[in-house]
């Protein structure tokens, strides 16, 4: 809980500084792309940790084909949960709710698909919902590990488990689970461009 509060405090401080800076006009344009370079550094550090940890290869060998069950379970859980809550969602039909959930955190691409195929309202909701999935994973990962085990934040992160949420998943689930997280993120990222249009094609 303490770690989640610390992460939340840093997130809130960033939002506040961003709002004040934008209002004052002192944020340089280069700062906008800095997060990309920070992500590259984090990915390098995660890769360094995986390469130096023999447990990572051991976990990969032990899981074998069972590793495929991780993204498959996340797809089934995400779409199944979306189907259940679609009963209570007004203004969106079942296909749109499933397509939004089928973004798996890949907000930039899934929102574009949904906007193109169904309009701005579901596209905007897809953007916000998938951004929230990423933010919730970043903030709640320590609690997800405690409540659901080391695979919990990997499921929550979805497609982002291969990049933006990978460092924090590796930190709290363990470096040996970074390989599974990376594999899961790659599979879901590749799946999104096919799954979202497929759902909306009916």
């Amino acid at each position: 809980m303490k770690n989640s509060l610390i992460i939340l405090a840093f997130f809130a401080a960033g939002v506040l500084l961003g709002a004040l800076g934008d209002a004052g006009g002192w944020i340089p344009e280069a700062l906008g792309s800095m997060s990309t370079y920070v992500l590259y550094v984090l990915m390098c550090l995660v890769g360094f940790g995986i390469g130096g940890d023999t447990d990572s290869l051991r976990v990969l060998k032990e899981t074998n084909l069972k590793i495929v069950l991780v993204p498959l379970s996340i797809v089934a859980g995400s779409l199944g949960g979306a189907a259940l809550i679609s009963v209570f969602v007004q203004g969106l039909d079942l296909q749109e709710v499933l397509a939004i959930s089928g973004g798996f955190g890949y907000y930039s691409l899934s929102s574009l698909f949904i906007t193109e195929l169904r309009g701005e309202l579901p596209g905007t909701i897809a953007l916000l919902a998938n951004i929230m999935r990423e933010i919730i994973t970043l903030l709640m990962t320590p609690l997800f590990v405690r409540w659901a085990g080391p695979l919990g934040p990997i499921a929550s992160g979805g497609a982002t488990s291969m990049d933006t949420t990978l460092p924090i998943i590796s930190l709290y689930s363990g470096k040996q689970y970074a390989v599974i997280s990376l594999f899961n993120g790659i599979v879901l990222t590749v799946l999104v461009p096919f799954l979202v249009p497929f759902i909306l094609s009916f």
Side-chain angles (χ1 to χ4, degrees), residues 96-117:
E96 291 168 344
V97 175
L98 290 175
I100 291 170
S101 176
F104 304 122
Y106 196 171
Y107 52 83
S108 56
L109 186 62
S110 62
S111 61
L112 285 176
F113 272 123
I114 296 172
T115 300
E116 181 70 21
L117 296 173

Side-chain angles (χ1 to χ4, degrees), residues 53-190:
D53 184 13
T54 56
D55 282 344
S56 299
L57 294 177
R58 179 183 59 78
V59 169
L60 190 59
K61 290 178 181 177
E62 289 177 353
T63 52
N64 293 319
L65 292 177
K66 289 186 292 186
I67 195 172
V68 178
L69 295 177
V70 176
L72 289 179
S73 301
I74 293 170
V75 171
S78 296
L79 297 182
L84 288 176
I85 67 166
S86 66
V87 178
F88 307 100
V89 177
Q90 297 181 349
L92 297 175
D93 60 33
L94 175 61
Q95 289 171 283
E96 291 168 344
V97 175
L98 290 175
I100 291 170
S101 176
F104 304 122
Y106 196 171
Y107 52 83
S108 56
L109 186 62
S110 62
S111 61
L112 285 176
F113 272 123
I114 296 172
T115 300
E116 181 70 21
L117 296 173
R118 288 302 178 98
E120 292 184 357
L121 176 61
T124 303
I125 294 174
L127 178 67
L128 295 176
N130 284 288
I131 287 176
M132 286 303 298
R133 181 168 186 158
E134 180 178 319
I135 293 175
I136 288 172
T137 303
L138 290 171
L139 296 178
M140 301 287 287
T141 285
L143 295 178
F144 288 156
V145 172
R146 182 180 301 176
W147 293 338
L151 293 177
I154 296 176
S156 173
T160 69
S161 68
M162 64 173 279
D163 43 39
T164 52
T165 59
L166 178 58
I168 196 167
I169 290 173
S170 176
L171 178 63
Y172 287 99
S173 294
K175 286 183 289 187
Q176 63 271 34
Y177 284 91
V179 176
I180 298 175
S181 179
L182 189 63
F183 175 80
N184 174 71
I186 291 172
V187 171
L188 294 180
T189 297
V190 171

